[in-house]
Amino acid sequence: MTIDAEAVKAEATRIGFIAAGIAPLAPSIRGDALDRWLAAGYAGTMRYLHRQARRRKEPALATPGAIMAVVVLDNYAAPTDEQPTAGDAFKIAAYARGMDYHVVTHGRLHQLAEWMKAHGAGLAHTWVDDGPIPERELAERAGLGWIGRNTMLIHPRHGSYTFIGTVFTDLALEVDTPRATDLCGTCTRCIDACPTGAIIDDRVVDATRCLSYQTIENRSEPPAELAPQWDGWAFGCDVCNDVCPWNVKFATPTTVPEFSRRADPDRRNPDVFEQMDEAAFTRRFADTPLARPGLARMRRNVRLATASRRDPDSR
Ligand code: B12
């Protein structure tokens, strides 16, 4: 039995994704922007982005035989009582409060893929932030929103605290229509608020200046010039999402239980990671996004975060 696009989207919603759409696996229309971004060195040490450039520009190459992408959004917005408060010694990005989304979103996406296979798909390959594919562009193409000035995929009714998941398939599904308009208008709140000035142009983030890159990806000592601008972040950064009017207006707390607070470190205690050994860190954070930087870098990040909060020049 084969199914149509509406049935796939209805199943995605039943599983708990807040939005779903279908995009054809045509070549990227932003290949030149990606090439310029890489050539400018904005990827920093994320060399995999250079290696994957060809496939990002031609996503069909990522899964031979696939012709369509089913794209879903998974809401991770934090409830008010889990957002940073004035008494915190450091801040952790909202997406890292709970279990690792690579596991959680993938698990639910896998259910969708299995359902598609049971309904006629010969191929249903899942990706969540782990593939050589332009996820935001595919989501935009699937009609799930527009790429905002901060480069986030913004959904007009849900905002941008979302993970993007995709299933590459050989099912000939009816495609969605991308939004014709970009609703950022003249707003520049994200550019103005970014603590390190990382949004260097309209829809261009220099990752090497972004606190998300610095706290999660950068294994070396961060540039000294950024230290005073650390703005209290010890893992990731939410500023360009927090100030976005589409989140202020529309973001609603996630209902995915695994994304809600579990092994959250005591953010009021600046020594929380110093007081923990590797075994204790692994016990509490192995299945959370904090495992990526690991204990040593979390200690470094908290040192930078707390120092920036003491610095009178910091924001
Ligand atoms: C590398 C990466 C990063 C890097 C670089 C970010 C960046 N802006 O490129 C760092 C570590 C900094 C990072 C940070 C974050 N990331 Co990240 N990241 C990625 C990853 C793996 C690749 C992104 C990429 O290809 N960058 C290269 C640049 C050139 O591409 P791009 O930013 O998408 O830019 C496009 C547009 O700018 C566009 N463009 C250029 N000019 C123009 C002009 C116009 C008019 C338009 C419309 C578009 C446009 O063309 C570019 C190419 O398609 C994706 C997953 C994936 N496979 O796609 C996740 C992903 C983008 N990240 C995600 C998240 C959640 C985050 C953070 C919010 C995490 C946090 N709280 O700390 C921050 C947000 C920072 C930000 N504003 O981008 C989500 C975003 C979901 C969403 N709703 O948009 C993704 C999709 C992962 C996922 N599966 O959910 N990330």
Side-chain angles (χ1 to χ4, degrees):
M1 178 182 135
T2 49
I3 26 124
D4 64 7
E6 289 315 312
V8 177
K9 288 187 265 184
E11 180 62 11
T13 312
R14 194 198 61 74
I15 291 171
F17 297 113
I18 54 165
I22 315 290
L25 286 182
S28 164
I29 55 164
R30 307 241 170 71
D32 292 351
L34 176 63
D35 284 340
R36 282 197 300 276
W37 189 82
L38 292 170
Y42 297 148
T45 55
M46 298 183 290
R47 298 298 305 169
Y48 71 94
L49 292 171
H50 290 264
R51 287 195 298 276
Q52 297 175 345
R54 193 163 148 256
R55 283 170 292 165
R56 270 168 198 278
K57 288 189 269 183
E58 253 186 90
L61 295 176
T63 307
I67 53 170
M68 295 290 164
V70 178
V71 190
V72 300
L73 299 183
D74 214 1
N75 178 23
Y76 67 82
T80 320
D81 68 344
E82 290 188 20
Q83 285 164 9
T85 60
D88 291 349
F90 58 88
K91 295 184 275 189
I92 302 272
Y95 87 82
R97 293 170 1 267
M99 257 178 95
D100 191 341
Y101 65 97
H102 294 97
V103 178
V104 178
T105 303
H106 238 136
R108 286 154 63 245
L109 205 53
H110 187 69
Q111 279 180 47
L112 180 62
E114 288 302 306
W115 182 88
M116 286 166 60
K117 283 187 192 156
H119 290 82
L123 190 63
H125 188 99
T126 56
W127 304 104
V128 182
D129 196 30
D130 56 351
I133 57 166
E135 292 179 331
R136 300 199 258 217
E137 189 177 335
L138 290 172
E140 182 189 43
R141 207 183 283 175
L144 299 183
W146 72 99
I147 294 176
R149 208 151 260 145
N150 56 5
T151 77
M152 297 303 294
L153 186 278
I154 306 174
H155 187 284
R157 286 192 318 281
H158 301 293
S160 61
Y161 295 114
T162 58
F163 300 120
I164 301 171
T166 55
V167 185
F168 277 27
T169 183
D170 57 355
L171 281 178
L173 300 168
E174 191 186 334
V175 299
D176 281 286
T177 316
R179 288 191 63 81
T181 45
D182 156 0
L183 298 178
C184 286
T186 55
C187 176
T188 57
R189 282 191 214 180
C190 55
I191 297 180
D192 303 339
C194 176
T196 54
I199 309 173
I200 51 166
D201 204 346
D202 197 6
R203 291 156 179 97
V204 182
V205 168
D206 174 355
T208 68
R209 293 195 71 84
C210 177
L211 288 174
S212 182
Y213 167 86
Q214 287 296 340
T215 55
I216 304 169
E217 304 293 335
N218 188 6
R219 292 164 193 276
S220 335
E221 202 44 42
E225 51 147 329
L226 290 185
Q229 294 157 273
W230 220 258
D231 193 34
W233 290 97
F235 183 95
C237 174
D238 285 330
V239 173
C240 66
N241 285 301
D242 287 346
V243 299
C244 176
W246 294 92
N247 285 328
V248 174
K249 245 187 269 170
F250 294 117
T252 46
T254 180
T255 54
V256 180
E258 294 93 330
F259 291 151
S260 292
R261 183 172 50 197
R262 318 161 40 252
D264 208 6
D266 178 3
R267 289 171 296 182
R268 291 176 169 258
N269 176 5
D271 296 320
V272 64
F273 292 109
E274 303 294 339
Q275 291 161 350
M276 205 178 278
D277 62 12
E278 288 284 354
F281 182 85
T282 305
R283 261 195 315 278
R284 283 184 61 182
F285 301 112
D287 61 351
T288 77
L290 269 54
R292 187 167 172 90
L295 179 59
R297 272 197 282 148
M298 283 309 296
R299 285 178 176 164
R300 174 201 78 177
N301 291 348
V302 170
R303 273 200 299 276
L304 282 156
T306 49
S308 71
R309 295 207 133 176
R310 281 194 299 272
D311 188 325
D313 291 336
S314 74
R315 306 163 56 115

